[in-house]
PDB file of all heavy atoms in Angstrom:
ATOM      1  N   GLY A   1       0.761  -1.252   0.064  1.00 97.00           N
ATOM      2  CA  GLY A   1      -0.003  -0.020   0.020  1.00 97.00           C
ATOM      3  C   GLY A   1       0.865   1.196  -0.058  1.00 97.00           C
ATOM      4  O   GLY A   1       1.993   1.281   0.483  1.00 97.00           O
ATOM      5  N   TRP A   2       0.238   2.268  -0.537  1.00 98.00           N
ATOM      6  CA  TRP A   2       0.826   3.600  -0.427  1.00 98.00           C
ATOM      7  C   TRP A   2      -0.047   4.401   0.630  1.00 98.00           C
ATOM      8  O   TRP A   2      -1.322   4.366   0.498  1.00 98.00           O
ATOM      9  CB  TRP A   2       0.909   4.399  -1.719  1.00 98.00           C
ATOM     10  CG  TRP A   2       1.985   4.092  -2.479  1.00 98.00           C
ATOM     11  CD1 TRP A   2       2.112   3.232  -3.553  1.00 98.00           C
ATOM     12  CD2 TRP A   2       3.398   4.629  -2.390  1.00 98.00           C
ATOM     13  NE1 TRP A   2       3.340   3.136  -4.116  1.00 98.00           N
ATOM     14  CE2 TRP A   2       4.110   4.033  -3.388  1.00 98.00           C
ATOM     15  CE3 TRP A   2       3.924   5.475  -1.589  1.00 98.00           C
ATOM     16  CZ2 TRP A   2       5.452   4.290  -3.552  1.00 98.00           C
ATOM     17  CZ3 TRP A   2       5.277   5.842  -1.844  1.00 98.00           C
ATOM     18  CH2 TRP A   2       6.088   5.126  -2.737  1.00 98.00           C
ATOM     19  N   TYR A   3       0.550   4.993   1.581  1.00 98.00           N
ATOM     20  CA  TYR A   3      -0.096   5.856   2.647  1.00 98.00           C
ATOM     21  C   TYR A   3       0.301   7.234   2.554  1.00 98.00           C
ATOM     22  O   TYR A   3       1.534   7.495   1.994  1.00 98.00           O
ATOM     23  CB  TYR A   3       0.238   5.229   4.069  1.00 98.00           C
ATOM     24  CG  TYR A   3      -0.081   3.833   4.223  1.00 98.00           C
ATOM     25  CD1 TYR A   3       0.812   2.800   3.698  1.00 98.00           C
ATOM     26  CD2 TYR A   3      -1.114   3.425   5.096  1.00 98.00           C
ATOM     27  CE1 TYR A   3       0.447   1.390   3.872  1.00 98.00           C
ATOM     28  CE2 TYR A   3      -1.355   2.061   5.284  1.00 98.00           C
ATOM     29  CZ  TYR A   3      -0.531   1.019   4.719  1.00 98.00           C
ATOM     30  OH  TYR A   3      -0.803  -0.211   4.939  1.00 98.00           O
ATOM     31  N   ARG A   4      -0.353   8.139   3.125  1.00 98.00           N
ATOM     32  CA  ARG A   4       0.077   9.448   3.222  1.00 98.00           C
ATOM     33  C   ARG A   4      -0.370  10.122   4.637  1.00 98.00           C
ATOM     34  O   ARG A   4      -1.350   9.721   5.159  1.00 98.00           O
ATOM     35  CB  ARG A   4      -0.487  10.320   2.042  1.00 98.00           C
ATOM     36  CG  ARG A   4      -1.937  10.551   2.066  1.00 98.00           C
ATOM     37  CD  ARG A   4      -2.333  11.325   0.748  1.00 98.00           C
ATOM     38  NE  ARG A   4      -3.767  11.514   0.694  1.00 98.00           N
ATOM     39  CZ  ARG A   4      -4.376  12.000  -0.370  1.00 98.00           C
ATOM     40  NH1 ARG A   4      -3.713  12.373  -1.504  1.00 98.00           N
ATOM     41  NH2 ARG A   4      -5.728  12.152  -0.365  1.00 98.00           N
ATOM     42  N   GLN A   5       0.398  11.086   5.023  1.00 98.00           N
ATOM     43  CA  GLN A   5       0.139  11.732   6.309  1.00 98.00           C
ATOM     44  C   GLN A   5       0.336  13.261   6.097  1.00 98.00           C
ATOM     45  O   GLN A   5       1.438  13.669   5.772  1.00 98.00           O
ATOM     46  CB  GLN A   5       0.932  11.272   7.443  1.00 98.00           C
ATOM     47  CG  GLN A   5       0.513  11.848   8.806  1.00 98.00           C
ATOM     48  CD  GLN A   5       1.118  11.104   9.967  1.00 98.00           C
ATOM     49  OE1 GLN A   5       2.203  10.401   9.750  1.00 98.00           O
ATOM     50  NE2 GLN A   5       0.595  11.156  11.042  1.00 98.00           N
ATOM     51  N   ALA A   6      -0.790  13.993   6.115  1.00 96.00           N
ATOM     52  CA  ALA A   6      -0.665  15.475   6.083  1.00 96.00           C
ATOM     53  C   ALA A   6      -0.428  16.034   7.483  1.00 96.00           C
ATOM     54  O   ALA A   6      -0.775  15.389   8.500  1.00 96.00           O
ATOM     55  CB  ALA A   6      -2.002  16.016   5.469  1.00 96.00           C
ATOM     56  N   PRO A   7       0.107  17.256   7.524  1.00 92.00           N
ATOM     57  CA  PRO A   7       0.297  17.849   8.934  1.00 92.00           C
ATOM     58  C   PRO A   7      -0.864  17.932   9.749  1.00 92.00           C
ATOM     59  O   PRO A   7      -2.021  18.365   9.272  1.00 92.00           O
ATOM     60  CB  PRO A   7       0.858  19.329   8.512  1.00 92.00           C
ATOM     61  CG  PRO A   7       1.409  19.102   7.145  1.00 92.00           C
ATOM     62  CD  PRO A   7       0.547  18.082   6.420  1.00 92.00           C
ATOM     63  N   GLY A   8      -0.767  17.391  11.005  1.00 94.00           N
ATOM     64  CA  GLY A   8      -1.871  17.395  11.875  1.00 94.00           C
ATOM     65  C   GLY A   8      -2.997  16.361  11.606  1.00 94.00           C
ATOM     66  O   GLY A   8      -3.987  16.403  12.287  1.00 94.00           O
ATOM     67  N   GLN A   9      -2.771  15.486  10.666  1.00 96.00           N
ATOM     68  CA  GLN A   9      -3.778  14.420  10.362  1.00 96.00           C
ATOM     69  C   GLN A   9      -3.176  13.132  10.534  1.00 96.00           C
ATOM     70  O   GLN A   9      -1.992  12.928  10.549  1.00 96.00           O
ATOM     71  CB  GLN A   9      -4.170  14.667   8.920  1.00 96.00           C
ATOM     72  CG  GLN A   9      -4.969  16.079   8.695  1.00 96.00           C
ATOM     73  CD  GLN A   9      -5.565  16.048   7.299  1.00 96.00           C
ATOM     74  OE1 GLN A   9      -5.779  15.004   6.671  1.00 96.00           O
ATOM     75  NE2 GLN A   9      -5.784  17.372   6.833  1.00 96.00           N
ATOM     76  N   GLN A  10      -4.095  12.075  10.673  1.00 96.00           N
ATOM     77  CA  GLN A  10      -3.649  10.627  10.748  1.00 96.00           C
ATOM     78  C   GLN A  10      -3.164  10.142   9.447  1.00 96.00           C
ATOM     79  O   GLN A  10      -3.614  10.774   8.396  1.00 96.00           O
ATOM     80  CB  GLN A  10      -4.814   9.911  11.346  1.00 96.00           C
ATOM     81  CG  GLN A  10      -5.142  10.139  12.715  1.00 96.00           C
ATOM     82  CD  GLN A  10      -6.191   9.170  13.332  1.00 96.00           C
ATOM     83  OE1 GLN A  10      -6.969   8.577  12.558  1.00 96.00           O
ATOM     84  NE2 GLN A  10      -6.176   8.921  14.594  1.00 96.00           N
ATOM     85  N   ARG A  11      -2.384   9.092   9.482  1.00 97.00           N
ATOM     86  CA  ARG A  11      -1.902   8.567   8.263  1.00 97.00           C
ATOM     87  C   ARG A  11      -3.000   7.841   7.622  1.00 97.00           C
ATOM     88  O   ARG A  11      -3.895   7.275   8.140  1.00 97.00           O
ATOM     89  CB  ARG A  11      -0.813   7.423   8.606  1.00 97.00           C
ATOM     90  CG  ARG A  11      -0.065   6.991   7.460  1.00 97.00           C
ATOM     91  CD  ARG A  11       1.176   6.248   7.910  1.00 97.00           C
ATOM     92  NE  ARG A  11       2.236   7.085   8.405  1.00 97.00           N
ATOM     93  CZ  ARG A  11       3.097   6.638   9.227  1.00 97.00           C
ATOM     94  NH1 ARG A  11       3.223   5.376   9.611  1.00 97.00           N
ATOM     95  NH2 ARG A  11       4.073   7.546   9.642  1.00 97.00           N
ATOM     96  N   GLU A  12      -3.055   8.085   6.302  1.00 96.00           N
ATOM     97  CA  GLU A  12      -4.295   7.579   5.438  1.00 96.00           C
ATOM     98  C   GLU A  12      -3.756   6.509   4.372  1.00 96.00           C
ATOM     99  O   GLU A  12      -2.716   6.899   3.726  1.00 96.00           O
ATOM    100  CB  GLU A  12      -4.953   8.732   4.789  1.00 96.00           C
ATOM    101  CG  GLU A  12      -5.994   8.433   3.778  1.00 96.00           C
ATOM    102  CD  GLU A  12      -6.376   9.654   3.027  1.00 96.00           C
ATOM    103  OE1 GLU A  12      -5.558  10.517   2.699  1.00 96.00           O
ATOM    104  OE2 GLU A  12      -7.552   9.593   2.552  1.00 96.00           O
ATOM    105  N   LEU A  13      -4.474   5.434   4.294  1.00 97.00           N
ATOM    106  CA  LEU A  13      -4.140   4.627   3.211  1.00 97.00           C
ATOM    107  C   LEU A  13      -4.850   4.996   1.913  1.00 97.00           C
ATOM    108  O   LEU A  13      -6.040   5.137   1.793  1.00 97.00           O
ATOM    109  CB  LEU A  13      -4.647   3.127   3.594  1.00 97.00           C
ATOM    110  CG  LEU A  13      -4.472   2.000   2.527  1.00 97.00           C
ATOM    111  CD1 LEU A  13      -2.976   1.801   2.194  1.00 97.00           C
ATOM    112  CD2 LEU A  13      -5.118   0.640   2.993  1.00 97.00           C
ATOM    113  N   VAL A  14      -4.048   5.237   0.829  1.00 98.00           N
ATOM    114  CA  VAL A  14      -4.695   5.751  -0.368  1.00 98.00           C
ATOM    115  C   VAL A  14      -4.716   4.725  -1.559  1.00 98.00           C
ATOM    116  O   VAL A  14      -5.604   4.938  -2.416  1.00 98.00           O
ATOM    117  CB  VAL A  14      -3.760   6.986  -0.861  1.00 98.00           C
ATOM    118  CG1 VAL A  14      -3.857   8.085   0.143  1.00 98.00           C
ATOM    119  CG2 VAL A  14      -2.358   6.699  -1.211  1.00 98.00           C
ATOM    120  N   ALA A  15      -3.865   3.718  -1.491  1.00 98.00           N
ATOM    121  CA  ALA A  15      -3.950   2.688  -2.627  1.00 98.00           C
ATOM    122  C   ALA A  15      -3.260   1.343  -2.174  1.00 98.00           C
ATOM    123  O   ALA A  15      -2.362   1.447  -1.359  1.00 98.00           O
ATOM    124  CB  ALA A  15      -3.327   3.243  -3.932  1.00 98.00           C
ATOM    125  N   THR A  16      -3.874   0.323  -2.679  1.00 98.00           N
ATOM    126  CA  THR A  16      -3.317  -1.001  -2.366  1.00 98.00           C
ATOM    127  C   THR A  16      -3.210  -1.791  -3.637  1.00 98.00           C
ATOM    128  O   THR A  16      -4.025  -1.585  -4.502  1.00 98.00           O
ATOM    129  CB  THR A  16      -4.092  -1.785  -1.306  1.00 98.00           C
ATOM    130  OG1 THR A  16      -5.496  -2.025  -1.867  1.00 98.00           O
ATOM    131  CG2 THR A  16      -4.251  -1.012   0.052  1.00 98.00           C
ATOM    132  N   ILE A  17      -2.226  -2.755  -3.638  1.00 97.00           N
ATOM    133  CA  ILE A  17      -2.205  -3.633  -4.773  1.00 97.00           C
ATOM    134  C   ILE A  17      -1.720  -5.030  -4.346  1.00 97.00           C
ATOM    135  O   ILE A  17      -0.794  -5.161  -3.466  1.00 97.00           O
ATOM    136  CB  ILE A  17      -1.114  -2.999  -5.777  1.00 97.00           C
ATOM    137  CG1 ILE A  17      -0.997  -3.922  -7.084  1.00 97.00           C
ATOM    138  CG2 ILE A  17       0.162  -2.747  -5.123  1.00 97.00           C
ATOM    139  CD1 ILE A  17      -0.281  -3.292  -8.129  1.00 97.00           C
ATOM    140  N   ILE A  18      -2.479  -6.007  -4.834  1.00 95.00           N
ATOM    141  CA  ILE A  18      -1.888  -7.370  -4.734  1.00 95.00           C
ATOM    142  C   ILE A  18      -1.320  -7.858  -6.000  1.00 95.00           C
ATOM    143  O   ILE A  18      -0.183  -8.331  -6.145  1.00 95.00           O
ATOM    144  CB  ILE A  18      -2.986  -8.285  -4.262  1.00 95.00           C
ATOM    145  CG1 ILE A  18      -3.590  -7.945  -2.873  1.00 95.00           C
ATOM    146  CG2 ILE A  18      -2.562  -9.833  -4.225  1.00 95.00           C
ATOM    147  CD1 ILE A  18      -4.701  -8.757  -2.315  1.00 95.00           C
ATOM    148  N   SER A  19      -2.076  -7.597  -7.097  1.00 92.00           N
ATOM    149  CA  SER A  19      -1.723  -7.834  -8.403  1.00 92.00           C
ATOM    150  C   SER A  19      -2.353  -6.773  -9.370  1.00 92.00           C
ATOM    151  O   SER A  19      -3.139  -5.972  -8.820  1.00 92.00           O
ATOM    152  CB  SER A  19      -2.167  -9.322  -8.913  1.00 92.00           C
ATOM    153  OG  SER A  19      -3.541  -9.309  -8.891  1.00 92.00           O
ATOM    154  N   SER A  20      -2.061  -6.846 -10.557  1.00 89.00           N
ATOM    155  CA  SER A  20      -2.689  -5.857 -11.504  1.00 89.00           C
ATOM    156  C   SER A  20      -4.200  -5.905 -11.552  1.00 89.00           C
ATOM    157  O   SER A  20      -4.882  -4.980 -11.946  1.00 89.00           O
ATOM    158  CB  SER A  20      -2.021  -5.973 -12.942  1.00 89.00           C
ATOM    159  OG  SER A  20      -2.293  -7.281 -13.408  1.00 89.00           O
ATOM    160  N   GLU A  21      -4.714  -7.073 -11.148  1.00 91.00           N
ATOM    161  CA  GLU A  21      -6.149  -7.315 -11.116  1.00 91.00           C
ATOM    162  C   GLU A  21      -6.813  -7.006  -9.807  1.00 91.00           C
ATOM    163  O   GLU A  21      -8.061  -6.994  -9.735  1.00 91.00           O
ATOM    164  CB  GLU A  21      -6.457  -8.753 -11.592  1.00 91.00           C
ATOM    165  CG  GLU A  21      -6.065  -9.161 -12.969  1.00 91.00           C
ATOM    166  CD  GLU A  21      -4.658  -9.475 -13.144  1.00 91.00           C
ATOM    167  OE1 GLU A  21      -4.000  -9.850 -12.138  1.00 91.00           O
ATOM    168  OE2 GLU A  21      -4.119  -9.427 -14.263  1.00 91.00           O
ATOM    169  N   ARG A  22      -6.071  -6.764  -8.835  1.00 95.00           N
ATOM    170  CA  ARG A  22      -6.557  -6.526  -7.459  1.00 95.00           C
ATOM    171  C   ARG A  22      -5.877  -5.296  -6.927  1.00 95.00           C
ATOM    172  O   ARG A  22      -4.919  -5.343  -6.274  1.00 95.00           O
ATOM    173  CB  ARG A  22      -6.239  -7.731  -6.652  1.00 95.00           C
ATOM    174  CG  ARG A  22      -6.907  -9.009  -7.028  1.00 95.00           C
ATOM    175  CD  ARG A  22      -6.591 -10.179  -6.271  1.00 95.00           C
ATOM    176  NE  ARG A  22      -7.163 -10.088  -4.906  1.00 95.00           N
ATOM    177  CZ  ARG A  22      -7.007 -11.014  -3.972  1.00 95.00           C
ATOM    178  NH1 ARG A  22      -6.228 -12.098  -4.265  1.00 95.00           N
ATOM    179  NH2 ARG A  22      -7.431 -10.807  -2.795  1.00 95.00           N
ATOM    180  N   ILE A  23      -6.584  -4.183  -7.243  1.00 97.00           N
ATOM    181  CA  ILE A  23      -6.121  -2.810  -6.895  1.00 97.00           C
ATOM    182  C   ILE A  23      -7.312  -2.089  -6.289  1.00 97.00           C
ATOM    183  O   ILE A  23      -8.425  -2.161  -6.782  1.00 97.00           O
ATOM    184  CB  ILE A  23      -5.500  -2.017  -8.139  1.00 97.00           C
ATOM    185  CG1 ILE A  23      -4.174  -2.643  -8.558  1.00 97.00           C
ATOM    186  CG2 ILE A  23      -5.298  -0.581  -7.819  1.00 97.00           C
ATOM    187  CD1 ILE A  23      -3.656  -2.122  -9.824  1.00 97.00           C
ATOM    188  N   ASN A  24      -6.998  -1.250  -5.241  1.00 97.00           N
ATOM    189  CA  ASN A  24      -7.997  -0.389  -4.791  1.00 97.00           C
ATOM    190  C   ASN A  24      -7.432   0.988  -4.404  1.00 97.00           C
ATOM    191  O   ASN A  24      -6.262   1.125  -4.089  1.00 97.00           O
ATOM    192  CB  ASN A  24      -8.593  -1.061  -3.461  1.00 97.00           C
ATOM    193  CG  ASN A  24      -9.432  -2.236  -3.629  1.00 97.00           C
ATOM    194  OD1 ASN A  24     -10.583  -2.120  -4.018  1.00 97.00           O
ATOM    195  ND2 ASN A  24      -8.914  -3.498  -3.370  1.00 97.00           N
ATOM    196  N   TYR A  25      -8.299   1.954  -4.495  1.00 98.00           N
ATOM    197  CA  TYR A  25      -7.991   3.315  -4.166  1.00 98.00           C
ATOM    198  C   TYR A  25      -8.965   3.924  -3.286  1.00 98.00           C
ATOM    199  O   TYR A  25     -10.165   3.778  -3.356  1.00 98.00           O
ATOM    200  CB  TYR A  25      -7.948   4.128  -5.433  1.00 98.00           C
ATOM    201  CG  TYR A  25      -7.028   3.752  -6.558  1.00 98.00           C
ATOM    202  CD1 TYR A  25      -7.385   2.914  -7.658  1.00 98.00           C
ATOM    203  CD2 TYR A  25      -5.605   4.060  -6.523  1.00 98.00           C
ATOM    204  CE1 TYR A  25      -6.515   2.552  -8.578  1.00 98.00           C
ATOM    205  CE2 TYR A  25      -4.668   3.560  -7.436  1.00 98.00           C
ATOM    206  CZ  TYR A  25      -5.178   2.816  -8.526  1.00 98.00           C
ATOM    207  OH  TYR A  25      -4.261   2.431  -9.380  1.00 98.00           O
ATOM    208  N   VAL A  26      -8.474   4.869  -2.498  1.00 98.00           N
ATOM    209  CA  VAL A  26      -9.465   5.752  -1.665  1.00 98.00           C
ATOM    210  C   VAL A  26     -10.133   6.583  -2.753  1.00 98.00           C
ATOM    211  O   VAL A  26      -9.613   6.972  -3.706  1.00 98.00           O
ATOM    212  CB  VAL A  26      -8.735   6.449  -0.628  1.00 98.00           C
ATOM    213  CG1 VAL A  26      -7.807   7.520  -1.188  1.00 98.00           C
ATOM    214  CG2 VAL A  26      -9.588   7.108   0.342  1.00 98.00           C
ATOM    215  N   ASP A  27     -11.375   7.043  -2.425  1.00 97.00           N
ATOM    216  CA  ASP A  27     -12.205   7.799  -3.463  1.00 97.00           C
ATOM    217  C   ASP A  27     -11.442   9.054  -3.805  1.00 97.00           C
ATOM    218  O   ASP A  27     -11.604   9.474  -5.047  1.00 97.00           O
ATOM    219  CB  ASP A  27     -13.615   8.044  -2.754  1.00 97.00           C
ATOM    220  CG  ASP A  27     -14.496   6.849  -2.772  1.00 97.00           C
ATOM    221  OD1 ASP A  27     -14.146   5.841  -3.426  1.00 97.00           O
ATOM    222  OD2 ASP A  27     -15.546   6.961  -2.038  1.00 97.00           O
ATOM    223  N   SER A  28     -10.768   9.742  -2.980  1.00 97.00           N
ATOM    224  CA  SER A  28     -10.283  11.032  -3.254  1.00 97.00           C
ATOM    225  C   SER A  28      -9.165  10.962  -4.245  1.00 97.00           C
ATOM    226  O   SER A  28      -8.779  11.965  -4.861  1.00 97.00           O
ATOM    227  CB  SER A  28      -9.657  11.658  -2.028  1.00 97.00           C
ATOM    228  OG  SER A  28      -8.701  10.807  -1.415  1.00 97.00           O
ATOM    229  N   VAL A  29      -8.613   9.844  -4.614  1.00 98.00           N
ATOM    230  CA  VAL A  29      -7.451   9.661  -5.602  1.00 98.00           C
ATOM    231  C   VAL A  29      -7.893   8.871  -6.822  1.00 98.00           C
ATOM    232  O   VAL A  29      -7.150   8.783  -7.736  1.00 98.00           O
ATOM    233  CB  VAL A  29      -6.159   9.099  -4.990  1.00 98.00           C
ATOM    234  CG1 VAL A  29      -5.791   9.885  -3.757  1.00 98.00           C
ATOM    235  CG2 VAL A  29      -6.291   7.648  -4.706  1.00 98.00           C
ATOM    236  N   LYS A  30      -9.058   8.287  -6.799  1.00 98.00           N
ATOM    237  CA  LYS A  30      -9.533   7.486  -7.989  1.00 98.00           C
ATOM    238  C   LYS A  30      -9.580   8.311  -9.204  1.00 98.00           C
ATOM    239  O   LYS A  30      -9.905   9.454  -9.260  1.00 98.00           O
ATOM    240  CB  LYS A  30     -10.984   6.918  -7.671  1.00 98.00           C
ATOM    241  CG  LYS A  30     -10.976   5.694  -6.772  1.00 98.00           C
ATOM    242  CD  LYS A  30     -12.416   5.240  -6.584  1.00 98.00           C
ATOM    243  CE  LYS A  30     -12.340   4.029  -5.533  1.00 98.00           C
ATOM    244  NZ  LYS A  30     -13.767   3.560  -5.358  1.00 98.00           N
ATOM    245  N   GLY A  31      -9.025   7.694 -10.297  1.00 97.00           N
ATOM    246  CA  GLY A  31      -8.958   8.373 -11.616  1.00 97.00           C
ATOM    247  C   GLY A  31      -7.769   9.209 -11.796  1.00 97.00           C
ATOM    248  O   GLY A  31      -7.512   9.706 -12.907  1.00 97.00           O
ATOM    249  N   ARG A  32      -7.015   9.561 -10.655  1.00 98.00           N
ATOM    250  CA  ARG A  32      -5.840  10.327 -10.720  1.00 98.00           C
ATOM    251  C   ARG A  32      -4.586   9.670 -10.390  1.00 98.00           C
ATOM    252  O   ARG A  32      -3.501   9.914 -10.978  1.00 98.00           O
ATOM    253  CB  ARG A  32      -5.967  11.537  -9.698  1.00 98.00           C
ATOM    254  CG  ARG A  32      -7.210  12.430 -10.029  1.00 98.00           C
ATOM    255  CD  ARG A  32      -7.203  13.670  -9.210  1.00 98.00           C
ATOM    256  NE  ARG A  32      -7.312  13.423  -7.791  1.00 98.00           N
ATOM    257  CZ  ARG A  32      -6.313  13.743  -6.908  1.00 98.00           C
ATOM    258  NH1 ARG A  32      -5.284  14.448  -7.308  1.00 98.00           N
ATOM    259  NH2 ARG A  32      -6.443  13.452  -5.578  1.00 98.00           N
ATOM    260  N   PHE A  33      -4.570   8.744  -9.477  1.00 98.00           N
ATOM    261  CA  PHE A  33      -3.425   7.915  -9.070  1.00 98.00           C
ATOM    262  C   PHE A  33      -3.408   6.496  -9.661  1.00 98.00           C
ATOM    263  O   PHE A  33      -4.457   5.907  -9.815  1.00 98.00           O
ATOM    264  CB  PHE A  33      -3.371   7.877  -7.574  1.00 98.00           C
ATOM    265  CG  PHE A  33      -3.093   9.115  -6.810  1.00 98.00           C
ATOM    266  CD1 PHE A  33      -3.038  10.407  -7.432  1.00 98.00           C
ATOM    267  CD2 PHE A  33      -2.741   9.081  -5.517  1.00 98.00           C
ATOM    268  CE1 PHE A  33      -2.770  11.589  -6.759  1.00 98.00           C
ATOM    269  CE2 PHE A  33      -2.467  10.287  -4.733  1.00 98.00           C
ATOM    270  CZ  PHE A  33      -2.487  11.550  -5.452  1.00 98.00           C
ATOM    271  N   ILE A  34      -2.219   6.061  -9.882  1.00 98.00           N
ATOM    272  CA  ILE A  34      -2.042   4.595 -10.423  1.00 98.00           C
ATOM    273  C   ILE A  34      -1.034   3.971  -9.654  1.00 98.00           C
ATOM    274  O   ILE A  34       0.138   4.402  -9.679  1.00 98.00           O
ATOM    275  CB  ILE A  34      -1.715   4.585 -11.816  1.00 98.00           C
ATOM    276  CG1 ILE A  34      -2.840   5.293 -12.697  1.00 98.00           C
ATOM    277  CG2 ILE A  34      -1.568   3.185 -12.381  1.00 98.00           C
ATOM    278  CD1 ILE A  34      -2.438   5.586 -14.268  1.00 98.00           C
ATOM    279  N   ILE A  35      -1.277   2.889  -8.986  1.00 98.00           N
ATOM    280  CA  ILE A  35      -0.402   2.056  -8.141  1.00 98.00           C
ATOM    281  C   ILE A  35       0.052   0.944  -9.046  1.00 98.00           C
ATOM    282  O   ILE A  35      -0.783   0.238  -9.843  1.00 98.00           O
ATOM    283  CB  ILE A  35      -1.023   1.586  -6.804  1.00 98.00           C
ATOM    284  CG1 ILE A  35       0.101   0.997  -5.971  1.00 98.00           C
ATOM    285  CG2 ILE A  35      -2.168   0.646  -7.070  1.00 98.00           C
ATOM    286  CD1 ILE A  35      -0.396   0.665  -4.574  1.00 98.00           C
ATOM    287  N   SER A  36       1.296   0.523  -8.990  1.00 97.00           N
ATOM    288  CA  SER A  36       1.840  -0.628  -9.693  1.00 97.00           C
ATOM    289  C   SER A  36       2.946  -1.247  -8.890  1.00 97.00           C
ATOM    290  O   SER A  36       3.459  -0.642  -8.001  1.00 97.00           O
ATOM    291  CB  SER A  36       2.258  -0.276 -11.064  1.00 97.00           C
ATOM    292  OG  SER A  36       3.328   0.724 -11.048  1.00 97.00           O
ATOM    293  N   ARG A  37       3.323  -2.450  -9.267  1.00 96.00           N
ATOM    294  CA  ARG A  37       4.452  -3.085  -8.694  1.00 96.00           C
ATOM    295  C   ARG A  37       5.358  -3.843  -9.591  1.00 96.00           C
ATOM    296  O   ARG A  37       4.800  -4.315 -10.669  1.00 96.00           O
ATOM    297  CB  ARG A  37       3.831  -3.945  -7.454  1.00 96.00           C
ATOM    298  CG  ARG A  37       3.127  -5.107  -7.920  1.00 96.00           C
ATOM    299  CD  ARG A  37       2.449  -5.819  -6.700  1.00 96.00           C
ATOM    300  NE  ARG A  37       3.424  -6.364  -5.721  1.00 96.00           N
ATOM    301  CZ  ARG A  37       3.120  -6.815  -4.487  1.00 96.00           C
ATOM    302  NH1 ARG A  37       1.879  -6.638  -4.097  1.00 96.00           N
ATOM    303  NH2 ARG A  37       4.050  -7.200  -3.739  1.00 96.00           N
ATOM    304  N   ASP A  38       6.569  -4.120  -9.300  1.00 95.00           N
ATOM    305  CA  ASP A  38       7.514  -4.969 -10.136  1.00 95.00           C
ATOM    306  C   ASP A  38       7.991  -5.947  -9.063  1.00 95.00           C
ATOM    307  O   ASP A  38       9.052  -5.676  -8.264  1.00 95.00           O
ATOM    308  CB  ASP A  38       8.522  -4.084 -10.629  1.00 95.00           C
ATOM    309  CG  ASP A  38       9.433  -4.937 -11.626  1.00 95.00           C
ATOM    310  OD1 ASP A  38       9.558  -6.260 -11.380  1.00 95.00           O
ATOM    311  OD2 ASP A  38      10.035  -4.402 -12.570  1.00 95.00           O
ATOM    312  N   ASN A  39       7.525  -7.180  -8.929  1.00 93.00           N
ATOM    313  CA  ASN A  39       7.972  -8.128  -7.968  1.00 93.00           C
ATOM    314  C   ASN A  39       9.401  -8.613  -8.215  1.00 93.00           C
ATOM    315  O   ASN A  39      10.110  -8.886  -7.327  1.00 93.00           O
ATOM    316  CB  ASN A  39       7.019  -9.268  -7.941  1.00 93.00           C
ATOM    317  CG  ASN A  39       5.683  -8.992  -7.333  1.00 93.00           C
ATOM    318  OD1 ASN A  39       5.506  -8.035  -6.605  1.00 93.00           O
ATOM    319  ND2 ASN A  39       4.586  -9.761  -7.817  1.00 93.00           N
ATOM    320  N   ALA A  40       9.835  -8.527  -9.468  1.00 93.00           N
ATOM    321  CA  ALA A  40      11.176  -9.000  -9.781  1.00 93.00           C
ATOM    322  C   ALA A  40      12.199  -8.024  -9.193  1.00 93.00           C
ATOM    323  O   ALA A  40      13.341  -8.462  -8.845  1.00 93.00           O
ATOM    324  CB  ALA A  40      11.389  -9.001 -11.235  1.00 93.00           C
ATOM    325  N   LYS A  41      11.744  -6.802  -9.065  1.00 94.00           N
ATOM    326  CA  LYS A  41      12.699  -5.728  -8.530  1.00 94.00           C
ATOM    327  C   LYS A  41      12.367  -5.370  -7.079  1.00 94.00           C
ATOM    328  O   LYS A  41      13.051  -4.422  -6.485  1.00 94.00           O
ATOM    329  CB  LYS A  41      12.710  -4.439  -9.391  1.00 94.00           C
ATOM    330  CG  LYS A  41      13.137  -4.732 -10.833  1.00 94.00           C
ATOM    331  CD  LYS A  41      13.095  -3.483 -11.634  1.00 94.00           C
ATOM    332  CE  LYS A  41      13.604  -3.706 -13.041  1.00 94.00           C
ATOM    333  NZ  LYS A  41      13.601  -2.376 -13.894  1.00 94.00           N
ATOM    334  N   ASN A  42      11.310  -5.919  -6.499  1.00 94.00           N
ATOM    335  CA  ASN A  42      10.879  -5.604  -5.112  1.00 94.00           C
ATOM    336  C   ASN A  42      10.498  -4.083  -5.045  1.00 94.00           C
ATOM    337  O   ASN A  42      10.940  -3.336  -4.171  1.00 94.00           O
ATOM    338  CB  ASN A  42      11.923  -5.844  -4.002  1.00 94.00           C
ATOM    339  CG  ASN A  42      11.783  -7.289  -3.560  1.00 94.00           C
ATOM    340  OD1 ASN A  42      11.314  -8.199  -4.290  1.00 94.00           O
ATOM    341  ND2 ASN A  42      12.211  -7.573  -2.314  1.00 94.00           N
TER     342      ASN A  42
END
């Protein structure tokens, strides 16, 4: 997952990925952020 923490706020999970077919985004970043992974390179 990618998380973010703004000043004075709690850490927020914004995107998760298991595989290219199993990805989720928080509503505030849907359509703007893209998460990906390369398991061969960690």
Side-chain angles (χ1 to χ4, degrees):
W2 279 98
Y3 303 74
R4 66 185 179 187
Q5 188 168 21
Q9 298 188 20
Q10 290 189 334
R11 192 169 288 162
E12 172 190 33
L13 177 62
V14 298
T16 61
I17 181 169
I18 298 176
S19 67
S20 58
E21 294 81 23
R22 297 177 68 184
I23 291 174
N24 286 286
Y25 300 98
V26 68
D27 286 347
S28 59
V29 308
K30 282 181 181 177
R32 300 188 298 121
F33 289 12
I34 301 171
I35 188 171
S36 61
R37 68 190 297 167
D38 185 337
N39 289 337
K41 296 180 179 179
N42 275 27

